[in-house]
Amino acid sequence: NDSPGQVEAQLQVVQKLEEKERGLQSALGAVEKELNLRSQALELHKRKAVEAAQLAEDLRAQGEHVQARLRELQV
């Protein structure tokens, strides 16, 4: 049979574990929030990379067009 002292000690252990769990839950929440922000930033950078590639392609095509026109004018 547990003495009152043992019960008290067990309750303290349980309270400490509960506090630790709350701390870990809080840390997990912070990590999830950070991960979310980083994912959003990654998506934004991917979109910007696609836009930049498209722009580079457009400029290359324009450059070719200008060069062809110059050759026509030289003839």
Side-chain angles (χ1 to χ4, degrees):
N1 209 356
D2 290 344
S3 71
Q6 278 181 310
V7 172
E8 185 62 36
Q10 287 169 352
L11 279 174
Q12 280 184 351
V13 168
V14 168
Q15 281 177 336
K16 284 227 163 61
L17 287 171
E18 285 172 346
E19 279 172 31
K20 194 173 187 178
E21 186 189 11
R22 277 196 295 276
L24 289 171
Q25 288 284 0
S26 173
L28 180 61
V31 168
E32 283 173 342
K33 195 187 262 180
E34 176 73 13
L35 182 61
N36 225 347
L37 288 172
R38 285 176 188 257
S39 295
Q40 286 172 10
L42 180 62
E43 283 307 310
L44 182 65
H45 287 125
K46 278 184 190 171
R47 270 205 307 279
K48 286 194 181 296
V50 168
E51 286 170 15
Q54 184 62 57
L55 182 61
E57 179 58 30
D58 293 347
L59 289 172
R60 188 192 60 75
Q62 278 178 19
E64 281 181 4
H65 180 70
V66 168
Q67 282 182 338
R69 189 79 183 104
L70 280 172
R71 281 195 295 273
E72 282 174 26
L73 291 172
Q74 284 169 353
V75 169

